[in-house]
């Protein structure tokens, strides 16, 4: 029996109303909120208490001209001495966790396991214990770009010799902190770090164009897999924690939605920047995406190489890497428009895309980071893309999401950014059934923002870098986040703002600004264009 058309229409409308009513801007009771920092960006104390040097120490000291304000992280926000204040800030906002990173060189001054620096162990023990005593849990990143200098001297992440050394470092951290740390991230943004091996704009500045990203990424993926399987074998049954890594995914959208060439270029850009890391770990089959292998292989042969510039995993490596995560750590900030361009044989990782990247000039931009736009629907699209690519069962923890400005206290654009992105994230949870379990604001406090130095501020708390004591002051956005964690709700007005921004995104793309790969987030997330 066929249903009458009017009844079918009533059913569709009823289901739509039911779906819309279920979305009430309210977070689940067990949803987790936190804020993040990284060791080099906040700790300071770069050469005290036995810490060894690392690649960002070396880079900023050797090439101060490559930092926008010629600064460095020698003192940074002095969190090595003021971590109690940072923890209080997290607690005052009603958050559940603090994401911080451990400096490999503070634990192992040369990066090698033959000497463990007890003062480094003591510092992180004190930090972890202080968090727990304040009712907060630590989300710990093992490696956030600051590679011990000794390891870089034999090739750093371009050498597969680093893989067992990272495993031994991970073993040290599990052994010393794993009784209290239940959430681990092995490597932060391997894609962004890999660009330090492609270009000379960030540490370690090796400038291996067309090769550096692939070589270093390959070894970081293997190192992550080894650390994960070590936890499985030696620690999981007793410590009962979770292990993953953070992958930055910037949404790539076709400049001309009616152009099949632009749509293809946008998808290829996603596979190069996200699939390169997601597919070996989160797909059912493992290994790199076939489209990526085909594209880089064909380009390499045309350029005169005897084999692909993209290294191959062995069958054993594919197997131990596949499924080596308990959740996805997602870093998400912005959206780029992608348009196809004429192919060329220029040797460059970004040339493998055969694409140009741009943003509409009418999008709201950061005044300190030209790549950073307020384009909130990107987070929902990314979550949906990941679910369709790798299945609906993966839990997702947003490990970074935030906005840069010049550091003023009335940071209304940051509030708009967070409010609209959180709204779109909730829609992904309620309407698309994405399993998002938590959200982390980047960053807790203003800090050293890599190539931007101290000119670009992401903090919920202002830091006075002219004050020897590095005074912290809460910004307006910190009170905004405190209200969200208290009420578990987002003010509904941000849904209207997000929809209005969506309308802007849907307008004709006649006015766009081209971005240079080496100046924006795809080359260096925090760089100024």
């Amino acid at each position: 029996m066929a249903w009458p058309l009017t009844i079918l229409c009533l059913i569709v409308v009823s289901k739509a109303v039911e779906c819309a009513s279920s979305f009430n801007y309210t977070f689940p009771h067990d949803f987790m909120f936190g804020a993040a920092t990284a060791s080099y960006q906040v700790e300071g104390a770069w050469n005290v208490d036995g810490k060894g040097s690392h690649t960002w120490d070396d880079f900023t000291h050797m090439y101060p001209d490559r930092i926008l304000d010629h600064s460095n992280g020698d003192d940074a926000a002095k969190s090595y001495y003021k971590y109690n204040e940072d923890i209080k800030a997290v607690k005052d906002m009603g958050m559940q966790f603090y994401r911080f990173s451990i400096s490999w060189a503070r634990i192992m001054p040369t990066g090698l396991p033959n000497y463990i620096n007890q003062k480094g162990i003591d510092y992180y023990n004190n930090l972890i214990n202080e968090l727990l005593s304040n009712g907060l849990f630590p989300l710990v990143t093992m490696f956030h770009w600051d590679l011990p200098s000794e390891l870089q001297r034999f090739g750093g992440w371009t050498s597969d010799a680093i893989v067992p050394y990272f495993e031994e470092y991970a073993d040290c951290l599990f052994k010393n902190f794993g009784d209290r740390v239940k959430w681990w991230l092995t490597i932060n943004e391997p894609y962004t770090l890999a660009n330090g091996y492609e270009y000379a704009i960030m540490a370690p500045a090796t400038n291996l164009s067309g090769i550096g990203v692939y070589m270093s990424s390959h070894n970081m993926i293997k190192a992550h897999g080894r650390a994960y399987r070590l936890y499985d074998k030696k620690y999981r049954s007793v410590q009962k924690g979770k292990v993953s890594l953070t992958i930055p995914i910037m949404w790539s959208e076709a400049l001309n939605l009616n152009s099949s060439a632009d749509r293809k270029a946008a998808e290829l850009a996603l596979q190069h920047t996200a699939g390169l890391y997601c597919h070996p770990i989160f797909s059912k089959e493992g290994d790199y995406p076939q489209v990526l292998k085909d594209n880089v292989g064909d380009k390499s042969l045309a350029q005169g190489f005897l084999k692909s510039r993209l290294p191959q995993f062995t069958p054993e490596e594919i197997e131990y890497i596949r499924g080596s995560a308990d959740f996805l750590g997602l870093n998400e900030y912005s959206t780029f428009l992608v348009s196809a361009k004429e192919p060329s044989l220029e040797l460059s990782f970004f040339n493998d895309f055969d694409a140009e990247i741009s943003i509409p000039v009418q999008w709201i931009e950061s005044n300190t980071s030209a790549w950073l736009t307020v384009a909130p629907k990107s987070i929902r699209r990314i979550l949906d893309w990941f679910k369709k690519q790798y299945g609906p069962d993966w839990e997702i923890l947003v490990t970074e999401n935030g906005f840069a400005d010049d550091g003023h206290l009335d940071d209304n654009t940051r509030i708009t950014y967070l409010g609209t992105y959180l709204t779109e994230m909730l829609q992904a949870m309620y309407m698309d059934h994405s399993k998002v379990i938590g959200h982390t604001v980047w960053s807790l406090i203003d800090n050293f923002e890599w190539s931007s130095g101290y000119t670009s501020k992401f903090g919920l708390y202002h830091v006075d870098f002219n004050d020897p004591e590095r005074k912290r002051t809460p910004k307006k956005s910190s009170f905004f986040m405190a209200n969200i964690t208290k009420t578990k709700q987002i003010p509904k007005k941000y849904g209207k703002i997000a929809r209005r921004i969506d309308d802007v995104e849907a307008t004709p793309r006649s006015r766009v600004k081209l971005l240079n790969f080496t100046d924006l987030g795809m080359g260096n997330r925090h760089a100024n264009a």
Side-chain angles (χ1 to χ4, degrees), residues 13 65-66 158 163 188-189 216 219 225 249 287 332 374 511:
V13 171
D65 56 306
R66 297 182 190 178
T158 61
V163 175
N188 179 75
E189 293 193 4
S216 57
N219 289 320
I249 306 179
D287 203 359
E332 204 283 327
V374 183
R511 298 178 65 214

Side-chain angles (χ1 to χ4, degrees), residues 5 109-110 124 176 199 216 221 281 307 353 363 374 404 422 461 495 500 513:
L5 180 60
T110 64
Y124 293 111
N176 282 279
Y199 300 104
S216 57
I221 294 167
I281 296 168
K307 62 179 182 179
F353 295 5
W363 283 4
V374 183
L422 287 168
Y461 277 67
R500 187 167 69 244
K513 178 172 65 177

Side-chain angles (χ1 to χ4, degrees), residues 128-292:
I128 291 166
N129 291 339
E130 184 69 14
L131 281 167
L132 296 173
S133 68
N134 279 274
L136 303 168
F137 71 83
L139 172 61
V140 176
T141 308
M142 296 180 177
F143 177 71
H144 198 125
W145 306 354
D146 44 355
L147 186 69
S149 301
E150 291 293 326
L151 296 182
Q152 183 56 39
R153 289 192 179 97
F154 63 73
W157 287 106
T158 61
S159 169
D160 59 6
I162 199 172
V163 175
Y165 287 131
F166 184 80
E167 184 180 18
E168 290 171 330
Y169 169 58
D171 187 51
C172 178
L173 300 191
F174 291 144
K175 183 187 303 179
N176 282 279
F177 310 122
D179 59 326
R180 289 150 293 150
V181 175
K182 305 304 176 185
W183 292 83
W184 292 99
L185 298 163
T186 55
I187 298 173
N188 179 75
E189 293 193 4
Y191 164 66
T192 313
L193 172 62
N195 280 280
Y197 291 90
E198 182 82 9
Y199 300 104
I201 59 172
M202 59 186 294
T206 55
N207 209 21
L208 300 172
S209 186
I211 297 172
V213 165
Y214 298 122
M215 290 179 65
S216 57
S217 296
H218 193 69
N219 289 320
M220 281 188 270
I221 294 167
K222 290 195 295 183
H224 161 78
R226 288 273 287 266
Y228 183 89
R229 297 306 173 194
L230 169 71
Y231 193 77
D232 274 349
K233 180 180 179 180
K234 195 172 177 180
Y235 295 101
R236 187 181 297 275
S237 63
V238 174
Q239 296 182 358
K240 303 185 185 306
K242 294 187 177 184
V243 181
S244 186
L245 78 170
T246 73
I247 297 177
I249 306 179
M250 304 294 189
W251 181 247
S252 298
E253 184 172 315
L255 175 64
N256 182 352
L257 295 173
N258 295 318
S259 165
S260 60
D262 283 7
R263 293 197 304 271
K264 181 180 178 181
E267 178 59 28
L268 188 59
L270 269 173
Q271 293 298 341
H272 269 266
T273 57
L276 177 65
Y277 307 96
C278 290
H279 206 273
I281 296 168
F282 295 99
S283 71
K284 292 181 179 179
E285 63 271 20
D287 203 359
Y288 294 121
Q290 190 62 47
V291 66
L292 187 64

Side-chain angles (χ1 to χ4, degrees), residues 251 328 330 378-388 396 398 424-426 428-429 432 434-436:
W251 181 247
L328 168 68
L330 171 64
S378 63
I379 193 166
R380 184 176 178 185
R381 289 185 169 183
I382 286 167
L383 291 167
D384 190 55
W385 176 84
F386 183 85
K387 184 181 67 175
K388 289 175 179 176
I396 299 167
V398 177
E424 291 291 327
M425 187 182 72
L426 268 181
M429 294 164 63
D432 307 333
S434 292
K435 292 188 175 181
V436 185

